[in-house]
Amino acid sequence: MFIPIIFSNVAVTDKNKLCIGKSEYIKNNSLALPVFFLLLFLLLACRNIKIGNDTWTYRYFFRALSNANIKDILGGELEVGFSIMTWLIGQVTDNYQIYLALCSALIVIPISNLYKEDNRHIMLKISVFLNMSTFVMMFSGIRQAIAIALGALAYKYVKKKKLWKFLIVTVVAMGMHHSAFMILFMYPLYYARFERKHLVFTMLAIMLCFIYNKKIFSLLTGVLAMFSTEYEDVSTTTTGAFTSLIMFVGFTAFSYIITDEKIMDQEGKGLRNFLLLTVVLQCFAPLHTLSMRMNYYYIIFIPVAISKMLDYSKIRMKKLSTQAEIVMVLFFSIWFVYGIYNSYITGISTLNTVPYVPFWKGNQ
């Protein structure tokens, strides 16, 4: 979290030379985000099998699929795309740590490219990203983390209106994890029009989703069960996911209050639509973790979306938006550090990620 700050005033020139300073070029090409994602890759690639609830299970999958035949791969319970990928890696190496490293690269590279498209508001992106549920799940759910990363790649084709390439990437993502069908909504949602004048009706619809979330959730899972056994017998419980819901509502409200729609481009409007969807999906997260898993594909865009909204702020709110950015960076930085500290003190951490243990320490 703090090491990238050192590189915020460092960039590489076209001639592959380091330059240090506060020029516009360095600001737009600083190494802060590349360094951050390099560190994230190293943490993922070098983690011990104890880090992440499912990391141990994936070692079993790796060993089983590496020695499987085509019939077992195509007819197994795991997604075909993930099974084929694992089998291919297994033909090259039997080292599980190398497998983890390759999977980590597949996760980090597309997300890194998404965040580096706009090199502004670096610390805001980093501090918010670290507090999103998608960050922690990368250390555990390999299949879905790869699918989420492919969603970030699919977004590139959404912006360019490359429908067929978008569909191909989406199908590949669905081959990694069944929940990746959520990426399909990205294309129409990006170009949908939910402007400020529609806000009253939009918020009313969201409120109804929250009030009747149990009935709507049961109906939707019933429909999904027609296509996958994964969604059969999904019962609702209390998950305590209200904190994220409040946070997403706050982000969405912020994106409507400070922005000047006259200067917003299509990407700004599209990303704001993604924020709306995260709120809708999070309305069901207090009932079941399944909804949060569906939401991962759009939560990954929240840091990028909030950063974009700052660039579209109204003239009279420029000062407020600058102050809001500082407050958010401080708040989310402290919140993240406190969360790590609290996990060390209590011994309780999300998905068994704290304390971090590298592969060369402890029993594998």
Side-chain angles (χ1 to χ4, degrees):
M1 185 175 181
F2 296 107
I3 291 176
I5 298 175
I6 301 172
F7 292 88
S8 59
N9 292 320
V10 181
V12 178
T13 66
D14 296 335
K15 297 180 180 180
N16 294 322
K17 292 184 178 181
L18 286 177
C19 55
I20 302 173
K22 294 185 178 180
S23 67
E24 193 66 23
Y25 176 84
I26 295 175
K27 181 180 178 181
N28 294 328
N29 298 276
S30 80
L31 294 175
L33 280 174
V35 168
F36 171 75
F37 282 106
L38 174 60
L39 292 172
L40 175 58
F41 164 73
L42 292 173
L43 286 172
L44 291 172
C46 297
R47 71 186 187 272
N48 193 283
I49 199 169
K50 298 175 182 177
I51 302 300
N53 286 354
D54 298 329
T55 310
W56 186 283
T57 304
Y58 278 104
R59 185 173 73 170
Y60 166 78
F61 290 155
F62 174 64
R63 290 177 175 175
L65 289 169
S66 295
N67 299 308
N69 55 45
I70 297 298
K71 182 179 179 182
D72 293 334
I73 291 173
L74 299 179
E77 294 182 1
L78 292 173
E79 289 82 354
V80 174
F82 172 78
S83 298
I84 293 174
M85 180 199 75
T86 301
W87 180 84
L88 288 171
I89 296 175
Q91 305 315 298
V92 178
T93 179
D94 60 356
N95 189 308
Y96 179 59
Q97 205 63 47
I98 294 177
Y99 173 76
L100 269 185
L102 291 173
C103 290
S104 300
L106 290 175
I107 293 167
V108 172
I109 291 173
I111 296 174
S112 172
N113 290 336
L114 168 67
Y115 279 60
K116 289 189 298 181
E117 284 183 6
D118 186 346
N119 221 26
R120 292 170 290 182
H121 313 292
I122 292 171
M123 288 313 300
L124 178 62
K125 287 180 182 177
I126 291 174
S127 59
V128 175
F129 174 84
L130 290 172
N131 285 281
M132 296 294 102
S133 52
T134 45
F135 167 68
V136 176
M137 72 84 57
M138 289 178 186
F139 289 84
S140 186
I142 294 176
R143 287 180 299 153
Q144 189 167 14
I146 294 175
I148 292 168
L150 288 171
L153 177 60
Y155 174 72
K156 172 184 176 182
Y157 297 120
V158 171
K159 291 195 298 180
K160 294 182 178 180
K161 294 186 177 182
K162 303 287 186 180
L163 179 59
W164 286 109
K165 289 184 178 180
F166 165 77
L167 290 174
I168 290 170
V169 174
T170 302
V171 170
V172 174
M174 290 170 65
M176 293 293 165
H177 199 272
H178 55 83
S179 64
F181 72 87
M182 289 297 299
I183 299 173
L184 288 170
F185 299 107
M186 194 179 290
Y187 204 102
L189 184 64
Y190 183 86
Y191 294 102
R193 297 187 64 182
F194 294 106
E195 298 176 0
R196 189 174 285 107
K197 60 184 178 182
H198 306 129
L199 189 57
V200 174
F201 300 101
T202 304
M203 296 309 294
L204 178 61
I206 291 174
M207 288 177 62
L208 290 173
C209 284
F210 182 73
I211 294 170
Y212 297 103
N213 58 1
K214 198 167 186 176
K215 292 182 179 179
I216 298 172
F217 183 79
S218 298
L219 176 64
L220 293 176
T221 51
V223 174
L224 291 173
M226 297 169 61
F227 301 95
S228 174
T229 57
E230 181 80 15
Y231 306 103
E232 292 179 355
D233 301 322
V234 176
S235 57
T236 58
T237 58
T238 301
T239 65
F242 286 104
T243 303
S244 294
L245 176 59
I246 294 170
M247 182 167 59
F248 296 168
V249 169
F251 283 147
T252 305
F254 178 78
S255 71
Y256 275 95
I257 291 171
I258 72 158
T259 53
D260 184 349
E261 297 198 356
K262 294 179 182 179
I263 63 174
M264 283 186 81
D265 58 12
Q266 183 58 56
E267 185 173 18
K269 293 175 182 178
L271 287 169
R272 192 170 65 178
N273 291 346
F274 289 1
L275 285 174
L276 280 173
L277 184 59
T278 62
V279 174
V280 173
L281 292 174
Q282 197 66 25
C283 286
F284 304 101
L287 298 175
H288 200 281
T289 55
L290 176 64
S291 182
M292 178 66 85
R293 283 164 55 189
M294 300 293 184
N295 211 359
Y296 285 154
Y297 297 96
Y298 296 90
I299 289 175
I300 199 71
F301 290 96
I302 288 179
V304 178
I306 296 301
S307 300
K308 281 285 185 183
M309 296 307 112
L310 293 171
D311 296 329
Y312 304 125
S313 60
K314 300 171 184 174
I315 295 177
R316 67 177 184 274
M317 290 192 173
K318 286 289 183 182
K319 185 177 180 179
L320 176 63
S321 64
T322 301
Q323 293 171 340
E325 181 176 8
I326 296 171
V327 170
M328 283 190 285
V329 169
L330 290 174
F331 173 77
F332 285 111
S333 298
I334 294 170
W335 190 4
F336 177 72
V337 172
Y338 173 75
I340 298 295
Y341 169 78
N342 191 54
S343 293
Y344 269 99
I345 296 300
T346 62
I348 302 172
S349 65
T350 305
L351 299 180
N352 197 31
T353 51
V354 178
Y356 180 83
V357 182
F359 71 88
W360 58 84
K361 289 186 177 181
N363 297 323
Q364 285 275 24

